[in-house]
Amino acid sequence: MSPRFETARFHVQSGPDSLFVRVRHILRDPVRLTARGGHVVERMRQREAPVEELLLLDPRTWDLVSAEVRTDTGKWVKATWRVRADGRDWWVVVGLGNALVTVIDVDPWRRGRGPDIVADGPLYAKVDAVNAELMRGA
């Protein structure tokens, strides 16, 4: 099943800043994530994830890594956070409505700066403008 819309990924180190300000605004308070659906439950089991620790998003102690946006609207749909739990580094992908999308145990050196990261161009400018405007209204 293909997604209803296309997304693009941006990295916290290459911006745009307005996107990451917006993500941090939306996810500014500690929250319990919901893990619904077979995919996320199965991934957590397969990866022997520390479920309780990874379901408690704390933006004060977790590091924001990247954000995905809809390419048609420029609005945020998912964010990846890094947290150390149970002696391992984890990427925790959080979607709209505080939904846990997936968890991935990663090497400590991994930063998520692959070739699919948007760092400039028309989409970058659009995402910057959309999120700056959204924050003016926040």
Side-chain angles (χ1 to χ4, degrees):
M1 184 168 134
S2 61
R4 296 176 304 234
F5 47 81
E6 289 187 30
T7 62
R9 183 174 296 136
F10 296 80
H11 194 276
V12 70
Q13 291 180 339
S14 54
D17 290 341
S18 64
L19 170 61
F20 293 96
V21 167
R22 178 93 176 130
V23 171
R24 286 186 177 105
H25 174 74
I26 293 167
L27 296 171
R28 65 186 170 272
D29 297 318
V31 66
R32 183 167 181 83
L33 304 173
T34 56
R36 295 192 189 109
H39 170 81
V40 69
V41 171
E42 180 65 13
R43 290 296 175 268
M44 291 180 83
R45 187 191 63 73
Q46 287 174 341
R47 295 170 178 157
E48 298 177 1
V51 176
E52 285 306 309
E53 290 176 80
L54 298 183
L55 287 178
L56 299 175
L57 169 67
D58 187 346
R60 298 169 302 189
T61 59
W62 290 27
D63 295 320
L64 186 55
V65 175
S66 65
E68 286 187 44
V69 302
R70 287 178 58 145
T71 57
D72 59 340
T73 65
K75 293 182 178 180
W76 170 77
V77 292
K78 293 191 279 194
T80 301
W81 298 78
R82 176 188 294 273
V83 63
R84 186 135 179 99
D86 194 34
R88 295 183 280 173
D89 283 37
W90 294 90
W91 281 353
V92 179
V93 182
V94 179
L96 297 172
N98 299 329
L100 179 63
V101 176
T102 196
V103 298
I104 306 162
D105 53 333
V106 295
D107 291 322
W109 52 264
R110 194 161 169 200
R111 295 292 172 249
R113 296 185 50 95
D116 61 336
I117 297 294
V118 177
D120 57 20
L123 181 58
Y124 186 99
K126 174 182 177 175
V127 168
D128 190 21
V130 164
N131 286 279
E133 181 63 29
L134 287 168
M135 287 310 298
R136 278 192 284 281

